[in-house]
mmCIF file of all heavy atoms in Angstrom:
data_model
loop_
_atom_site.group_PDB
_atom_site.id
_atom_site.type_symbol
_atom_site.label_atom_id
_atom_site.label_comp_id
_atom_site.label_asym_id
_atom_site.label_seq_id
_atom_site.Cartn_x
_atom_site.Cartn_y
_atom_site.Cartn_z
ATOM 1 N N VAL A 132 -1.182 -7.198 -6.750
ATOM 2 C CA VAL A 132 -0.224 -7.848 -5.842
ATOM 3 C C VAL A 132 -0.472 -7.414 -4.403
ATOM 4 O O VAL A 132 -0.493 -8.248 -3.483
ATOM 5 C CB VAL A 132 1.231 -7.538 -6.270
ATOM 6 C CG1 VAL A 132 2.228 -7.932 -5.185
ATOM 7 C CG2 VAL A 132 1.559 -8.246 -7.570
ATOM 8 N N ILE A 133 -0.694 -6.124 -4.181
ATOM 9 C CA ILE A 133 -0.930 -5.621 -2.825
ATOM 10 C C ILE A 133 -2.212 -6.212 -2.244
ATOM 11 O O ILE A 133 -2.235 -6.700 -1.107
ATOM 12 C CB ILE A 133 -0.986 -4.079 -2.827
ATOM 13 C CG1 ILE A 133 0.393 -3.511 -3.104
ATOM 14 C CG2 ILE A 133 -1.526 -3.551 -1.506
ATOM 15 C CD1 ILE A 133 0.405 -2.028 -3.383
ATOM 16 N N VAL A 134 -3.284 -6.186 -3.022
ATOM 17 C CA VAL A 134 -4.566 -6.711 -2.536
ATOM 18 C C VAL A 134 -4.477 -8.214 -2.300
ATOM 19 O O VAL A 134 -4.925 -8.717 -1.260
ATOM 20 C CB VAL A 134 -5.705 -6.359 -3.521
ATOM 21 C CG1 VAL A 134 -6.984 -7.078 -3.149
ATOM 22 C CG2 VAL A 134 -5.934 -4.862 -3.537
ATOM 23 N N ALA A 135 -3.886 -8.940 -3.224
ATOM 24 C CA ALA A 135 -3.779 -10.401 -3.076
ATOM 25 C C ALA A 135 -2.929 -10.770 -1.867
ATOM 26 O O ALA A 135 -3.294 -11.668 -1.104
ATOM 27 C CB ALA A 135 -3.204 -11.017 -4.348
ATOM 28 N N SER A 136 -1.801 -10.086 -1.675
ATOM 29 C CA SER A 136 -0.961 -10.411 -0.519
ATOM 30 C C SER A 136 -1.653 -10.056 0.787
ATOM 31 O O SER A 136 -1.559 -10.802 1.771
ATOM 32 C CB SER A 136 0.394 -9.717 -0.622
ATOM 33 O OG SER A 136 0.238 -8.325 -0.612
ATOM 34 N N GLY A 137 -2.364 -8.939 0.813
ATOM 35 C CA GLY A 137 -3.094 -8.566 2.031
ATOM 36 C C GLY A 137 -4.197 -9.553 2.357
ATOM 37 O O GLY A 137 -4.371 -9.953 3.519
ATOM 38 N N LEU A 138 -4.947 -9.971 1.341
ATOM 39 C CA LEU A 138 -5.999 -10.959 1.568
ATOM 40 C C LEU A 138 -5.418 -12.309 1.973
ATOM 41 O O LEU A 138 -5.969 -13.001 2.832
ATOM 42 C CB LEU A 138 -6.872 -11.096 0.319
ATOM 43 C CG LEU A 138 -7.730 -9.877 -0.007
ATOM 44 C CD1 LEU A 138 -8.466 -10.086 -1.334
ATOM 45 C CD2 LEU A 138 -8.715 -9.587 1.104
ATOM 46 N N PHE A 139 -4.299 -12.682 1.359
ATOM 47 C CA PHE A 139 -3.645 -13.935 1.725
ATOM 48 C C PHE A 139 -3.203 -13.920 3.186
ATOM 49 O O PHE A 139 -3.434 -14.877 3.929
ATOM 50 C CB PHE A 139 -2.441 -14.183 0.807
ATOM 51 C CG PHE A 139 -1.642 -15.399 1.182
ATOM 52 C CD1 PHE A 139 -2.115 -16.666 0.889
ATOM 53 C CD2 PHE A 139 -0.425 -15.267 1.829
ATOM 54 C CE1 PHE A 139 -1.395 -17.788 1.242
ATOM 55 C CE2 PHE A 139 0.308 -16.377 2.185
ATOM 56 C CZ PHE A 139 -0.166 -17.649 1.893
ATOM 57 N N LEU A 140 -2.580 -12.818 3.614
ATOM 58 C CA LEU A 140 -2.158 -12.711 5.016
ATOM 59 C C LEU A 140 -3.354 -12.734 5.969
ATOM 60 O O LEU A 140 -3.293 -13.355 7.033
ATOM 61 C CB LEU A 140 -1.343 -11.444 5.226
ATOM 62 C CG LEU A 140 0.050 -11.445 4.616
ATOM 63 C CD1 LEU A 140 0.684 -10.065 4.743
ATOM 64 C CD2 LEU A 140 0.930 -12.494 5.272
ATOM 65 N N ALA A 141 -4.439 -12.072 5.596
ATOM 66 C CA ALA A 141 -5.636 -12.073 6.442
ATOM 67 C C ALA A 141 -6.215 -13.484 6.549
ATOM 68 O O ALA A 141 -6.615 -13.907 7.643
ATOM 69 C CB ALA A 141 -6.676 -11.117 5.881
ATOM 70 N N LEU A 142 -6.250 -14.201 5.443
ATOM 71 C CA LEU A 142 -6.749 -15.585 5.479
ATOM 72 C C LEU A 142 -5.845 -16.479 6.305
ATOM 73 O O LEU A 142 -6.320 -17.338 7.060
ATOM 74 C CB LEU A 142 -6.898 -16.137 4.061
ATOM 75 C CG LEU A 142 -8.051 -15.563 3.248
ATOM 76 C CD1 LEU A 142 -7.981 -16.070 1.807
ATOM 77 C CD2 LEU A 142 -9.383 -15.939 3.871
ATOM 78 N N GLN A 143 -4.538 -16.305 6.175
ATOM 79 C CA GLN A 143 -3.599 -17.103 6.968
ATOM 80 C C GLN A 143 -3.770 -16.831 8.462
ATOM 81 O O GLN A 143 -3.762 -17.752 9.274
ATOM 82 C CB GLN A 143 -2.157 -16.800 6.545
ATOM 83 C CG GLN A 143 -1.780 -17.359 5.207
ATOM 84 C CD GLN A 143 -1.861 -18.870 5.177
ATOM 85 O OE1 GLN A 143 -2.806 -19.436 4.638
ATOM 86 N NE2 GLN A 143 -0.900 -19.526 5.766
ATOM 87 N N GLU A 144 -3.943 -15.589 8.812
ATOM 88 C CA GLU A 144 -4.120 -15.248 10.225
ATOM 89 C C GLU A 144 -5.441 -15.791 10.750
ATOM 90 O O GLU A 144 -5.528 -16.256 11.880
ATOM 91 C CB GLU A 144 -4.046 -13.736 10.426
ATOM 92 C CG GLU A 144 -4.046 -13.381 11.895
ATOM 93 C CD GLU A 144 -3.427 -12.038 12.156
ATOM 94 O OE1 GLU A 144 -2.524 -11.635 11.421
ATOM 95 O OE2 GLU A 144 -3.869 -11.413 13.130
ATOM 96 N N ARG A 145 -6.449 -15.743 9.920
ATOM 97 C CA ARG A 145 -7.752 -16.267 10.332
ATOM 98 C C ARG A 145 -7.680 -17.779 10.537
ATOM 99 O O ARG A 145 -8.239 -18.312 11.490
ATOM 100 C CB ARG A 145 -8.796 -15.908 9.288
ATOM 101 C CG ARG A 145 -10.189 -16.175 9.741
ATOM 102 C CD ARG A 145 -11.169 -15.552 8.806
ATOM 103 N NE ARG A 145 -12.501 -15.827 9.282
ATOM 104 C CZ ARG A 145 -13.565 -15.249 8.839
ATOM 105 N NH1 ARG A 145 -13.468 -14.342 7.909
ATOM 106 N NH2 ARG A 145 -14.748 -15.545 9.314
ATOM 107 N N ARG A 146 -6.982 -18.481 9.640
ATOM 108 C CA ARG A 146 -6.804 -19.929 9.806
ATOM 109 C C ARG A 146 -6.011 -20.238 11.065
ATOM 110 O O ARG A 146 -6.309 -21.178 11.779
ATOM 111 C CB ARG A 146 -6.085 -20.520 8.591
ATOM 112 C CG ARG A 146 -6.960 -20.642 7.391
ATOM 113 C CD ARG A 146 -6.221 -21.292 6.256
ATOM 114 N NE ARG A 146 -6.989 -21.194 5.040
ATOM 115 C CZ ARG A 146 -6.491 -21.192 3.832
ATOM 116 N NH1 ARG A 146 -5.182 -21.275 3.665
ATOM 117 N NH2 ARG A 146 -7.271 -21.101 2.791
ATOM 118 N N GLY A 147 -4.977 -19.416 11.322
ATOM 119 C CA GLY A 147 -4.189 -19.611 12.536
ATOM 120 C C GLY A 147 -5.023 -19.415 13.788
ATOM 121 O O GLY A 147 -4.886 -20.144 14.766
ATOM 122 N N ALA A 148 -5.925 -18.443 13.758
ATOM 123 C CA ALA A 148 -6.807 -18.200 14.913
ATOM 124 C C ALA A 148 -7.767 -19.369 15.096
ATOM 125 O O ALA A 148 -8.039 -19.783 16.227
ATOM 126 C CB ALA A 148 -7.573 -16.901 14.722
ATOM 127 N N ARG A 149 -8.285 -19.909 14.002
ATOM 128 C CA ARG A 149 -9.186 -21.068 14.106
ATOM 129 C C ARG A 149 -8.457 -22.275 14.685
ATOM 130 O O ARG A 149 -8.995 -23.004 15.515
ATOM 131 C CB ARG A 149 -9.744 -21.428 12.732
ATOM 132 C CG ARG A 149 -10.817 -20.515 12.260
ATOM 133 C CD ARG A 149 -11.361 -21.022 10.951
ATOM 134 N NE ARG A 149 -12.227 -20.034 10.347
ATOM 135 C CZ ARG A 149 -12.597 -20.046 9.091
ATOM 136 N NH1 ARG A 149 -12.164 -20.999 8.277
ATOM 137 N NH2 ARG A 149 -13.386 -19.124 8.619
ATOM 138 N N ASN A 150 -7.225 -22.494 14.226
ATOM 139 C CA ASN A 150 -6.447 -23.625 14.740
ATOM 140 C C ASN A 150 -6.141 -23.441 16.222
ATOM 141 O O ASN A 150 -6.151 -24.404 16.987
ATOM 142 C CB ASN A 150 -5.159 -23.793 13.945
ATOM 143 C CG ASN A 150 -5.422 -24.292 12.540
ATOM 144 O OD1 ASN A 150 -6.472 -24.880 12.258
ATOM 145 N ND2 ASN A 150 -4.477 -24.051 11.644
#
Side-chain angles (χ1 to χ4, degrees):
V132 167
I133 290 169
V134 171
S136 63
L138 292 175
F139 175 76
L140 289 173
L142 288 173
Q143 288 298 103
E144 187 157 329
R145 191 168 180 168
R146 285 183 190 153
R149 284 184 191 164
N150 290 339

